[in-house]
Amino acid sequence: MPDERGRVAAGLRGVVLAVAVLATATGCMWQQQTLTRADIVGTWTEGDTGTVLFKDDGTVVVTDLAEFNNDGDKVSECGGTGEWGVYPDEKEAEQLWITVCDGNPWEFGGSKEQPTMRRSVGDPDNGDAQTLSRK
């Protein structure tokens, strides 16, 4: 029987490795990032999910930002001008908030060179998120 258990264990390791490779290749693995205010300033967008422009004076301009229902389906778009801020502090920001559109907070991921930010959409138990990249 030891050979059978060894083959099963090897098979499970192969499945785990395949899932990890697939998750990494498809961007399913989120790597938390901290950013400063200066890292955030600029335009963030992704496909047809809208655009968010963060200005260094603390204002934000949102254009056609997708809004979602509890099922995670896009139902409308939001826009406007407001303010933005980060927490827990200015030097090690892990999340940000904006005063326009629902769906705070946004959290940071990616890398310093290619940062992304995301917010949960729909039912939190489903794990759906809207992701934007800095351009």
Side-chain angles (χ1 to χ4, degrees):
M1 276 310 232
D3 291 332
E4 181 66 24
R5 278 188 264 165
R7 283 193 298 268
V8 170
L12 288 175
R13 281 192 298 270
V15 169
V16 169
L17 178 61
V19 169
V21 168
L22 181 61
T24 301
T26 60
C28 293
M29 295 188 68
W30 180 259
Q31 192 169 24
Q32 185 70 38
Q33 191 65 245
T34 57
L35 299 177
T36 65
R37 287 181 71 92
D39 294 328
I40 299 164
V41 171
T43 301
W44 296 69
T45 190
E46 196 66 50
D48 65 349
T49 62
T51 302
V52 182
L53 170 61
F54 295 98
K55 298 182 179 181
D56 60 4
D57 66 357
T59 58
V60 62
V61 178
V62 177
T63 307
D64 301 327
L65 186 64
E67 293 189 307
F68 301 85
N69 64 17
N70 284 340
D71 293 327
D73 299 321
K74 180 179 172 182
V75 293
S76 64
E77 294 176 343
C78 173
T81 302
E83 297 177 343
W84 68 279
V86 296
Y87 48 89
D89 63 56
E90 301 286 319
K91 293 180 183 177
E92 296 289 328
E94 294 174 1
Q95 297 180 329
L96 88 104
W97 53 266
I98 58 176
T99 60
V100 293
C101 304
D102 293 332
N104 289 307
W106 291 83
E107 62 183 356
F108 303 112
S111 66
K112 293 280 186 181
E113 298 77 29
Q114 296 179 319
T116 57
M117 65 180 203
R118 73 176 183 185
R119 66 178 178 171
S120 178
V121 298
D123 183 342
D125 292 336
N126 293 340
D128 294 329
Q130 177 182 23
T131 303
L132 303 176
S133 299
R134 189 177 66 203
K135 302 301 175 194

